[in-house]
Amino acid sequence: MMAGGFEAHLDWERLPPGMSHRDVAGVAVGPDDLVHLFTRYPHQIFVFTPDGEFVTTWGEGAFVHAHAIRVGPDGSVYTVDNFQHTVKKFSAGGELLMTLGIPDQPSDTGYVTGAPVSIHLVEGVTHAGPPFNGCTDLVLAPNGDIYVADGYHNCRVHHFDGKGELIRSWGAVGEGPGEFRLPHAICQSPDGRLFVADRENDRIQIFTPDGEYLDEWNDVNRPCGIALDAEGRMYVAELWRPVGNRSFVRDNAAVDLPSRMTVLDGDGAVLDRWGDSVDDKGAAGNFIAPHSMAIDSRGDLYVGEVTYTYAIRNGLVGEELAFHQIQKFVRTPTTAEAR
């Protein structure tokens, strides 16, 4: 199926017999174009060639709840575990090298488990806190610094040096500039700007490397994952908003707003959108619960979905769509020429 100028492959991943998982929470591509999937149930890492051939798996037992993954230029693997409240750095072979955060000890942000929810559980965050409480994503700066989005039970971005020393944090509860309601994903452009997907405020905020607010892009719906290609275009995975669901800045959805992929130019203008089918969410090229993305050296796009966690477990779709977890979008000649 053609989607947004790409050829969609829903059967890209080739798992050996007897292996399975229920979600692909994180996707990352290493310097050798090996594709790393950070999965749930089990919570571990699978590695594949760009053609979907299985290479290895590791990490079972090391994680509580997979959320995001990055691979550094030296092949080191960084993971974000939002239930364990940690960021971990591993060697390419899975040896633990560094842990940021205290495992199983969330920071104080006023959040209380089980409190009533009217819009989203992040409304239980009453104040900003130190690292981490429900951390969500990270990006590696060219100088080795680490920026971590801390979103589910916090409202901050934390800046560390490469040795794990905290440099600064910024963010507060709310909808104003520099405030967050679930900073869910983060990436950095070559000029140093940091882009933060402020999911439940329906926007992408832009900051300097020091945390100074620059701008925001609002023509997005629940931005869940973001990635920049070599030409500076931003890919935004937007999460399904069912009828009646609302954000902190928009009223209840009057109609079903399916997940989709949006492509933005360097100024935030929409270049393309695809995948938001109301009637056939499980088809190749369409989306149920896109959660993370990565782009390889050829410009091909990998999109991981948390179909079980978000949709099946909550009764939005049936178990027959459990296969809808990872898609590869291969650039077509037309796409390459346009770039």
Side-chain angles (χ1 to χ4, degrees), residues 77-152:
V77 178
Y78 297 75
T79 62
V80 181
D81 188 325
N82 65 314
F83 281 13
Q84 195 182 60
H85 315 290
T86 58
V87 171
K88 293 179 178 178
K89 177 183 179 181
F90 298 88
S91 70
E95 178 188 358
L96 181 62
L97 302 176
M98 181 174 66
T99 299
L100 304 181
I102 303 173
D104 307 315
Q105 293 189 31
S107 61
D108 176 19
T109 63
Y111 181 83
V112 179
T113 301
V117 174
S118 60
I119 298 176
H120 190 277
L121 58 83
V122 296
E123 65 198 52
V125 177
T126 63
H127 57 270
F132 299 113
N133 196 334
C135 43
T136 51
D137 196 12
L138 69 87
V139 67
L140 303 171
N143 67 352
D145 285 0
I146 305 167
Y147 293 90
V148 181
D150 193 10
Y152 268 101

Side-chain angles (χ1 to χ4, degrees), residues 240 256 258-259 275 277-283 286-288 317 321 324:
W240 181 4
D256 186 54
S259 296
S277 171
V278 173
D279 302 317
D280 196 8
K281 293 180 173 69
N286 294 340
F287 302 103
I288 298 172
V317 302
L321 294 180
H324 212 282

Side-chain angles (χ1 to χ4, degrees), residues 1-12 50-52 235 274 285 294-296 298-303 327-336 339:
M1 175 179 176
M2 297 299 294
F6 292 81
E7 183 178 340
H9 294 265
L10 189 51
D11 58 352
W12 167 81
D51 295 326
Y235 292 77
W274 76 84
I295 300 171
D296 68 18
R298 294 175 289 191
D300 295 341
L301 176 69
Y302 302 83
V303 183
Q327 295 189 74
K328 180 176 182 177
F329 292 86
V330 178
R331 288 201 309 170
T332 65
T334 302
T335 308
R339 292 160 187 261

Side-chain angles (χ1 to χ4, degrees), residues 22 240 288 307-308 311-313 315-323:
R22 304 211 70 174
W240 181 4
I288 298 172
T307 298
Y308 172 74
I312 294 175
R313 194 168 62 179
L316 296 175
V317 302
E319 284 277 358
E320 71 276 6
L321 294 180
F323 66 93

Side-chain angles (χ1 to χ4, degrees), residues 8-327:
H9 294 265
L10 189 51
D11 58 352
W12 167 81
E13 179 191 33
R14 299 198 299 276
L15 280 168
M19 288 190 177
S20 65
H21 48 74
R22 304 211 70 174
D23 284 328
V24 176
V27 185
V29 176
D32 50 8
D33 269 351
L34 288 178
V35 183
H36 295 63
L37 307 184
F38 196 19
T39 69
R40 294 177 183 168
Y41 314 108
H43 299 275
Q44 63 186 53
I45 293 166
F46 289 83
V47 183
F48 296 87
T49 69
D51 295 326
E53 180 182 352
F54 174 79
V55 176
T56 189
T57 184
W58 56 269
E60 189 166 8
F63 309 108
V64 177
H65 200 250
H67 203 272
I69 186 169
R70 301 277 183 169
V71 180
D74 63 351
S76 298
V77 178
Y78 297 75
T79 62
V80 181
D81 188 325
N82 65 314
F83 281 13
Q84 195 182 60
H85 315 290
T86 58
V87 171
K88 293 179 178 178
K89 177 183 179 181
F90 298 88
S91 70
E95 178 188 358
L96 181 62
L97 302 176
M98 181 174 66
T99 299
L100 304 181
I102 303 173
D104 307 315
Q105 293 189 31
S107 61
D108 176 19
T109 63
Y111 181 83
V112 179
T113 301
V117 174
S118 60
I119 298 176
H120 190 277
L121 58 83
V122 296
E123 65 198 52
V125 177
T126 63
H127 57 270
F132 299 113
N133 196 334
C135 43
T136 51
D137 196 12
L138 69 87
V139 67
L140 303 171
N143 67 352
D145 285 0
I146 305 167
Y147 293 90
V148 181
D150 193 10
Y152 268 101
H153 303 155
N154 205 345
C155 53
R156 310 218 84 184
V157 173
H158 308 288
H159 179 190
F160 298 85
D161 67 20
K163 296 181 179 179
E165 294 296 323
L166 182 65
I167 297 173
R168 65 177 58 86
S169 300
W170 71 88
V173 178
E175 296 81 56
E179 298 175 342
F180 298 109
R181 294 285 194 178
L182 185 42
H184 195 273
I186 186 169
C187 67
Q188 188 172 34
S189 62
D191 64 9
R193 289 177 299 160
L194 290 162
F195 296 80
V196 182
D198 188 10
R199 198 181 85 180
E200 298 305 315
N201 280 331
D202 291 319
R203 64 182 176 179
I204 296 168
Q205 296 198 67
I206 308 170
F207 301 89
T208 69
D210 295 330
E212 178 185 351
Y213 172 86
L214 295 174
D215 198 2
E216 62 186 64
W217 296 342
N218 301 97
D219 193 6
V220 290
N221 182 56
R222 302 189 84 186
C224 211
I226 52 178
L228 288 163
D229 69 12
E231 288 78 29
R233 294 173 174 85
M234 176 172 286
Y235 292 77
V236 185
E238 298 177 71
L239 185 62
W240 181 4
R241 174 167 282 128
V243 174
N245 183 275
R246 62 169 298 184
S247 71
F248 290 88
V249 296
R250 295 178 185 167
D251 291 334
N252 291 346
V255 297
D256 186 54
L257 299 175
S259 296
R260 65 187 178 187
M261 185 65 61
T262 290
V263 185
L264 306 174
D265 69 13
D267 297 316
V270 175
L271 298 174
D272 201 358
R273 279 186 164 134
W274 76 84
D276 53 343
S277 171
V278 173
D279 302 317
D280 196 8
K281 293 180 173 69
N286 294 340
F287 302 103
I288 298 172
H291 194 259
S292 62
M293 291 180 295
I295 300 171
D296 68 18
S297 65
R298 294 175 289 191
D300 295 341
L301 176 69
Y302 302 83
V303 183
E305 302 194 53
V306 290
T307 298
Y308 172 74
T309 300
Y310 180 76
I312 294 175
R313 194 168 62 179
N314 293 319
L316 296 175
V317 302
E319 284 277 358
E320 71 276 6
L321 294 180
F323 66 93
H324 212 282
Q325 300 181 44
I326 178 69
Q327 295 189 74

